[in-house]
Amino acid sequence: MRLVIFGPPGSGKGTYSTRIAPVLKIARIATGDMFREEVKNNTQLGKLAAMYMNKGEFVPDDVTMKMFKERLKKPDTKNGFILDGFPRTIFQAKELDKITKIEVIINLIVPDEILIEKMSARRMCKNCGDIYNIADIKKNIDGVEYLLPPMLPKKKNVCDKCGGPLYQRDDDKPEVIKERLEVYKNQAAPVIEHYTGKIPFLDIHVTRGPEIMVGKILDEIKKFNLK
Ligand SMILES: [Zn+2]
């Protein structure tokens, strides 16, 4: 089973791919994790990636592709994988086509208005990076009802996992979010176009919290009869 998950920042790609991968017994491959793993192991590719990340720049496509090829050799990918945050560019998509054939693209759809509200409410643990969300969204947009529950820590502003303090990242402030959404749209459009008509898209409107949406996504994937 070879899946890709697309969606704007804040749509929950990470949450969904993390939850559905173990159910489908496939590996979740996220570029961020891949980079961190290589950096941690101090590999040649890791050193190269770190150089760009430390400058706040994107890791170049050729470095990403090399890491991805290495990642695919790991045994946890034997039943397949779900890619999160990848491919991000046309170059990556074309390179990916040479290596493997993606079967389904899960395309998460969320209106900007909801994304901005949701992302502004993200709180991250300063120690361990665990993420919470204080927004309790109940909204009707164009006749569609959005009920997105918060993910609150047990104790206000304190991480459940490690007791660390929670804070709002600069990246999660509304002005920055709007900019990130624009960047995403410009980047994603050509990649989505590249796959349109070639690979089936499973459009998922994220109208409820993960508890409900995960089941829906899994039900929809079943319909494709993938191995
Ligand atoms: Zn923590």
Side-chain angles (χ1 to χ4, degrees), residues 124-132 158-166:
M124 191 185 250
C125 172
K126 239 181 186 137
N127 288 343
C128 73
D130 211 25
I131 289 176
Y132 300 86
V158 177
C159 175
D160 287 348
K161 276 191 190 154
C162 74
L166 305 185

Side-chain angles (χ1 to χ4, degrees), residues 104-135:
V104 175
I105 293 173
I106 303 168
N107 190 32
L108 301 180
I109 300 169
V110 190
D112 282 2
E113 190 184 331
I114 300 276
L115 288 173
I116 293 166
E117 188 172 338
K118 204 176 139 213
M119 288 167 83
S120 316
R122 266 160 58 109
R123 297 294 180 267
M124 191 185 250
C125 172
K126 239 181 186 137
N127 288 343
C128 73
D130 211 25
I131 289 176
Y132 300 86
N133 200 301
I134 58 173

Side-chain angles (χ1 to χ4, degrees), residues 96-107:
L96 185 64
D97 291 345
K98 292 180 200 163
I99 305 170
T100 183
K101 172 122 179 60
I102 299 300
E103 292 166 299
V104 175
I105 293 173
I106 303 168
N107 190 32

Side-chain angles (χ1 to χ4, degrees), residues 140-151:
N140 195 303
I141 298 175
D142 300 328
V144 181
E145 197 182 35
Y146 293 85
L147 297 176
L148 304 172
M151 276 192 323

